[in-house]
């Protein structure tokens, strides 16, 4: 295991870990919100409107930046605009509990629509802009969405004539309203907004009412529609405060798209519940544009994903010297395992540890994290958030000894836990097969101090010569090799060993593949990790198949390798 790194942040919001873990009570966090007095609540009010009753009224809530637009919105602006959008939805007849889907590129309008949807008590369904027709159809069909906000450019991917539940389409941006005799009614966003009042009644809802429907990333199979409720705000608020460590003058940049849960729980709700300033950047990843964004906006807290950090690492350390990144004070990573190598690299080039943390679409908010107030262990996802009980269980639901690999499980009942898999109760129940526990589907170990170490997905574990090997440790070892940018490891059936380990790797910029390098990588893992964990086959590829949220799709590599059907590819990058 890697060495321990002491905390670096001055005066973190979170008190010393052991102290708060012992005394924490979610009931105390609840007292921050209006239902404590009224019994009713609304996420959009708590995240936005509430701040307009204080000096934060004119504080910038949203800095938006892309190749064409550079805009600022105060909390008051977002209150007014989301009121207008709420009035648009009311005018066209959208009711509480209906699903309103948002399918558009990152833009201020997507945030306004999201907040307005929530204000009328409807359930928001954000979709990633790169989805193609089948992916859009699946989600609109599964959710019976009644309204959709999209753009004229994306409309051709919406088969609205075949979606009987879809009654309204609101178009953002210039374009013609399609001329047809279908049952769907079209509206122009800007025209409707111009006509709508800035005053709106908020739909005060119950804490258990639906807030947002997010589809999972599709890394392990067909994406699931995960329903979250307004109650989740308790968790969003407290985790953003302690893990993101947001303070009044921070400029926070979450690079995730709102089509994925990170892009709403921590791109919208968590920061705004804390009254923080959010930076949203449109457009695609490029090392130069990203560093320029940090420099230009003086970003202080930065949340991104391992795939981005690995790509920045592959782009070379020289690049970093071209930019002034001195505003950064806290960096976080989520979504995939963060190789220890990347944490060490971060310390070298940014002078900051990258703080890994773990959660899932289904969990709605962070559950395990490395905190600014706690020493971190590179390669570990950290320790349970206060109020959260984590256990590593065997197949019967019994706790395994510390250090042994088992199923990563959480004591059920945290505030942001999913309330439903949309129209799939059977799937929902599969998460709760051990009474009282939520089964994540991930494998992990826990050390004596309660730090959790990710090993792989349940489906991806490899049985080779009687040993269980988690793909992550093999992949991390491969990434330590100076030639390797990314690695994915699968088990391949073998008559003698049960399975053998096959590794797929992509190389750092400018390097050529060769047989010698493949051999060298096998030896590198054998010597650096263990003989049984060394890949017997190494295939060097130009790239690895990934979800659009940037996760390596091991199941696709496996299907290709074994000549099996690849399953649902709706979330795969081109
Ligand atoms: P699907 O459920 O559709 O197969 P998915 O599990 O990738 O896709 P998400 O809910 O977006 O969908 O991702 C959650 C998963 O991401 C976790 O179960 C875990 O496997 C992985 N993950 C998230 N954070 C981390 C982390 N810090 N370290 C390791 N893995 C992580
Ligand atoms: Mg999952």
């Amino acid at each position: 295991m890697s060495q321990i790194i002491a905390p670096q942040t001055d005066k973190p919001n979170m008190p010393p870990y052991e102290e708060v873990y012992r005394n924490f009570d979610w009931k105390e966090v609840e007292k921050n919100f209006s239902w404590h007095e009224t019994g009713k609540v609304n996420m959009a009010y708590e995240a936005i409107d509430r701040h307009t009753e204080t000096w934060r009224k004119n504080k910038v809530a949203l800095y938006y930046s892309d190749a064409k637009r550079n805009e600022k919105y105060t909390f008051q602006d977002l209150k007014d605009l989301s009121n207008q959008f709420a009035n648009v939805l009311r005018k066209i007849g959208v009711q509480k509990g209906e699903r309103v889907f948002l399918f558009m590129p990152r833009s201020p309008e997507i945030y306004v629509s999201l907040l307005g949807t929530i204000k009328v008590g409807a359930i928001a369904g954000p979709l990633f802009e790169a989805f193609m027709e089948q992916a859009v159809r699946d989600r609109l069909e599964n959710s019976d969405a009644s309204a959709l906000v999209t753009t004229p450019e994306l409309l051709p991917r919406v088969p609205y004539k075949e979606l009987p539940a879809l009654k309204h389409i609101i178009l953002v941006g210039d374009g013609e309203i399609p001329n047809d005799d279908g049952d769907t009614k079209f509206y122009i966003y800007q025209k409707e907004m111009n006509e709508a009042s800035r005053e709106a009644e908020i739909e005060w809802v119950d804490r258990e009412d639906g807030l947002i429907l997010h589809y999972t990333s599709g890394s392990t199979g067909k994406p699931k529609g995960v329903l979250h409720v307004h109650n989740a705000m308790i968790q969003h608020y407290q985790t953003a405060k302690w893990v993101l460590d947001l303070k009044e003058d921070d400029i926070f940049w979450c690079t995730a798209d709102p089509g994925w849960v990170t892009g709403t729980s921590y791109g919208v709700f968590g920061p705004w519940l804390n009254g923080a300033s959010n930076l949203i950047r449109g457009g695609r990843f490029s090392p130069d544009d990203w560093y320029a964004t940090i420099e230009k906006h003086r970003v202080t807290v930065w949340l991104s994903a391992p795939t981005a950090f690995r790509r920045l690492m592959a782009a070379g350390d020289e690049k970093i010297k071209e930019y002034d990144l001195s505003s950064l004070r806290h960096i976080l990573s989520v979504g995939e395992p963060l190789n220890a190598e990347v944490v060490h690299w971060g310390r070298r080039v940014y002078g900051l540890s990258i703080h890994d943390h773990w959660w899932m679409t289904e969990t709605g908010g962070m559950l395990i994290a490395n905190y600014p107030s706690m020493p971190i262990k590179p390669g570990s996802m950290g320790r349970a958030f206060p109020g959260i009980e984590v256990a590593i269980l065997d197949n019967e639901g019994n706790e395994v000894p510390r250090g042994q690999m088992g199923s990563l499980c959480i004591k059920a009942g945290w505030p942001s836990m999913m309330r439903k898999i949309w129209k799939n109760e059977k799937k929902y129940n599969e998460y709760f097969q051990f009474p009282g526990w939520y089964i994540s589907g991930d494998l992990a170990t826990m050390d004596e101090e309660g730090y959790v170490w990710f090993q792989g997905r349940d489906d991806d574990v490899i049985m080779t010569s009687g040993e269980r090997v988690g793909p992550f440790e093999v992949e991390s070892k491969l990434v330590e090799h100076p030639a390797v940018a990314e690695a994915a490891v699968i088990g391949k059936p073998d008559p003698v060993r049960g399975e053998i380990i096959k590794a797929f790797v992509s190389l750092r910029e400018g390097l050529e593949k060769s047989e010698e390098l493949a051999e060298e990588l096998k030896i590198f893992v054998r010597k650096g990790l263990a003989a049984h964990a060394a890949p017997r086959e190494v295939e060097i590829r130009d790239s690895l198949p990934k979800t659009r949220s940037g996760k390596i799709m091991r199941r696709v590599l496996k299907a290709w390798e074994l000549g099996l059907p690849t399953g649902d590819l709706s979330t795969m990058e081109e």
Side-chain angles (χ1 to χ4, degrees):
M1 274 172 201
S2 345
Q3 74 267 35
I4 296 177
I5 301 176
Q8 291 168 312
T9 316
D10 286 341
K11 299 203 189 73
N13 289 337
M14 187 182 190
Y17 179 80
E18 282 80 5
E19 196 181 298
V20 269
Y21 193 85
R22 233 176 295 123
N23 302 321
F24 187 82
D25 186 356
W26 289 115
K27 285 262 172 308
E28 288 300 310
V29 183
E30 265 176 42
K31 291 185 183 159
N32 289 291
F33 303 115
S34 56
W35 74 58
H36 193 64
E37 273 136 35
T38 61
K40 292 283 182 179
V41 76
N42 187 300
M43 174 70 95
Y45 170 79
E46 305 293 340
I48 303 295
D49 295 24
R50 179 164 62 119
H51 303 302
T52 66
E53 295 154 17
T54 72
W55 69 268
R56 287 201 190 108
K57 178 177 160 68
N58 296 320
K59 177 175 175 176
V60 176
L62 168 64
Y63 292 91
Y64 180 80
S65 169
D66 66 22
K68 292 194 201 115
R69 299 170 72 174
N70 262 299
E71 296 165 12
K72 284 183 201 176
Y73 298 82
T74 62
F75 281 102
Q76 183 68 45
D77 293 334
L78 288 184
K79 175 184 174 181
D80 293 346
L81 288 162
S82 58
N83 276 350
Q84 284 175 287
F85 192 75
N87 286 327
V88 172
L89 290 179
R90 286 221 169 96
K91 180 181 144 194
I92 68 182
V94 170
Q95 304 280 320
K96 180 181 169 195
E98 284 185 26
R99 274 74 59 212
V100 176
F101 269 59
L102 315 169
F103 177 44
M104 48 183 153
R106 245 169 283 178
S107 61
E109 291 72 31
I110 193 169
Y111 295 90
V112 168
S113 312
L114 175 70
L115 293 165
T117 297
I118 294 170
K119 274 193 175 168
V120 302
I123 297 171
L127 296 181
F128 188 44
E129 60 170 300
F131 280 150
M132 301 310 282
E133 177 170 337
Q134 190 59 44
V136 176
R137 177 202 300 271
D138 284 352
R139 287 158 182 76
L140 294 177
E141 216 163 53
N142 176 251
S143 63
D144 291 319
S146 61
L148 175 72
V149 190
T150 187
T151 64
E153 293 78 30
L154 293 180
L155 187 62
R157 299 191 214 151
V158 182
Y160 56 89
K161 287 182 198 161
E162 294 148 48
L163 294 166
L166 188 60
K167 296 198 282 278
H168 316 284
I169 295 184
I170 302 172
L171 291 174
V172 180
D174 301 327
E176 299 266 298
I177 286 191
N179 201 351
D180 68 55
D181 49 6
D183 294 334
T184 310
K185 279 215 181 69
F186 285 85
Y187 312 84
I188 298 291
Y189 175 90
Q190 202 50 57
K191 176 169 174 290
E192 298 297 329
M193 288 290 276
N194 291 345
E195 290 168 8
S197 160
R198 289 181 180 190
E199 304 294 325
E201 282 293 317
I202 287 183
E203 181 80 35
W204 296 104
V205 299
D206 189 83
R207 60 203 290 166
E208 287 298 316
D209 280 331
L211 168 75
I212 197 161
L213 183 59
H214 265 299
Y215 286 82
T216 57
S217 292
S219 308
T220 58
K222 195 171 171 59
K224 303 159 281 266
V226 173
L227 181 72
H228 289 293
V229 298
H230 287 253
N231 194 63
M233 72 177 70
I234 302 172
Q235 191 133 7
H236 295 150
Y237 171 80
Q238 197 62 34
T239 50
K241 183 167 184 165
W242 282 354
V243 184
L244 303 179
D245 196 41
L246 295 176
K247 308 222 171 82
E248 206 59 73
D249 354 316
D250 275 317
I251 304 288
F252 172 60
W253 183 24
C254 166
T255 66
D257 189 271
W260 311 112
V261 72
T262 305
T264 60
S265 290
Y266 299 103
V268 176
F269 305 133
W272 283 339
L273 286 166
N274 281 279
S277 296
N278 252 341
L279 166 70
I280 310 281
R281 183 185 175 279
R284 299 187 72 92
F285 172 89
S286 98
D288 282 296
D289 291 347
W290 276 35
Y291 287 143
T293 299
I294 294 171
E295 179 180 88
K296 175 168 170 226
H297 293 275
R298 307 294 300 157
V299 171
T300 57
V301 181
W302 181 27
L303 166 59
S304 195
T307 176
F309 291 118
R310 287 191 302 255
R311 285 167 76 180
L312 291 168
M313 191 163 106
D317 298 0
E318 282 308 304
K319 188 154 281 322
I320 295 161
K321 300 191 185 123
E322 295 166 29
Y323 297 91
D324 176 6
L325 307 181
S326 61
S327 56
L328 285 174
R329 68 166 188 87
H330 185 34
I331 309 181
L332 303 105
S333 167
V334 75
E336 263 206 310
L338 183 70
N339 320 81
E341 184 62 18
V342 183
V343 179
H344 296 303
W345 168 81
R347 278 170 56 81
R348 206 173 64 241
V349 299
Y350 305 127
L352 296 168
S353 303
I354 302 175
H355 288 68
D356 190 16
H357 56 284
W358 176 92
W359 58 293
M360 315 168 57
T361 308
E362 294 89 328
T363 72
M366 300 171 185
L367 297 180
I368 297 174
N370 287 290
Y371 309 96
S373 62
M374 175 186 97
I376 73 167
K377 300 186 186 181
S380 162
M381 308 190 292
R383 291 153 111 181
F385 192 80
I388 300 295
E389 199 182 323
V390 173
I392 310 295
L393 305 181
D394 65 16
N395 290 339
E396 273 77 55
N398 302 310
E399 212 158 324
V400 304
R402 291 281 163 116
Q404 249 180 46
M405 177 157 77
S407 173
L408 172 54
C409 296
I410 312 291
K411 180 64 77 56
W414 64 94
S416 65
M417 189 169 92
M418 65 170 166
R419 298 302 197 261
K420 231 183 225 181
I421 298 284
W422 200 259
K423 287 195 195 151
N424 196 344
E425 201 182 334
K426 180 164 162 281
K427 186 83 207 171
Y428 181 85
N429 292 333
E430 285 173 12
Y431 291 88
F432 299 98
Q433 290 171 42
F434 304 145
W437 292 93
Y438 165 85
I439 306 171
S440 71
D442 287 346
L443 297 170
T445 61
M446 196 193 284
D447 67 19
E448 290 298 336
E449 290 173 305
Y451 283 75
V452 182
W453 303 75
F454 182 82
Q455 303 295 325
R457 310 270 191 145
D458 236 342
D459 299 347
D460 295 336
V461 73
I462 301 162
M463 274 302 264
T464 180
S465 306
E467 301 279 349
R468 278 198 332 153
V469 176
F472 178 54
E473 58 175 354
V474 184
E475 292 164 1
S476 278
K477 184 46 76 182
L478 286 162
V479 172
E480 276 178 32
H481 191 282
V484 175
E486 295 199 289
V489 155
I490 62 161
K492 188 174 163 182
D494 179 83
V496 180
R497 296 183 174 82
E499 283 181 309
I500 57 155
I501 297 176
K502 168 148 192 178
F504 299 84
V505 302
S506 64
L507 301 181
R508 294 206 192 178
E509 227 144 83
L511 296 178
E512 292 289 329
K513 57 175 117 176
S514 69
E515 274 303 312
E516 293 74 52
L517 179 56
E519 281 310 309
E520 187 182 319
L521 292 175
K522 292 181 197 168
I523 297 165
F524 186 74
V525 180
R526 188 173 320 130
K527 291 209 172 131
L529 190 62
H532 76 274
R536 296 199 165 250
E537 294 179 20
V538 172
E539 182 176 325
I540 302 175
R541 298 175 55 94
D542 292 340
S543 65
L544 303 177
K546 287 200 186 143
T547 65
R548 294 188 185 279
S549 53
K551 295 164 192 252
I552 297 172
M553 296 175 97
R554 291 173 192 76
R555 70 175 164 99
V556 172
L557 286 167
K558 191 155 184 166
W560 284 343
E561 184 65 29
L562 307 185
L564 298 171
T566 45
D568 185 293
L569 295 183
S570 65
T571 61
M572 191 161 103
E573 254 179 13
E574 261 116 72

